[in-house]
Amino acid sequence: MSGPGRFASGLAFDVPVGAAGAEALSRYDEEQLPTILDFLQTARQVQERQAARLGAGGG
């Protein structure tokens, strides 16, 4: 299956943000998605650490 629907896997993607996200990811194939997920998780960890540092006055 290709297109936004292939990401639904039982989740409700009838909300605009879910549909938009699924559509954005639809251009990637199943082999690319784990790399994208790893990048996003790593980027989030970096941002969370930096936010914590700044919140602790580590500016």
Side-chain angles (χ1 to χ4, degrees):
M1 175 191 274
S2 64
R6 72 185 174 138
F7 297 101
S9 64
L11 301 175
F13 278 101
D14 57 347
V15 294
V17 70
E23 183 177 346
L25 290 174
S26 70
R27 67 185 210 197
Y28 301 102
D29 65 36
E30 297 293 327
E31 293 178 4
Q32 294 171 307
L33 294 177
T35 300
I36 294 167
L37 178 61
D38 179 63
F39 170 79
L40 291 172
Q41 289 173 331
T42 300
R44 181 177 178 166
Q45 291 171 0
V46 168
Q47 296 301 317
E48 288 175 347
R49 284 194 301 267
Q50 293 305 307
R53 181 182 63 83
L54 291 172

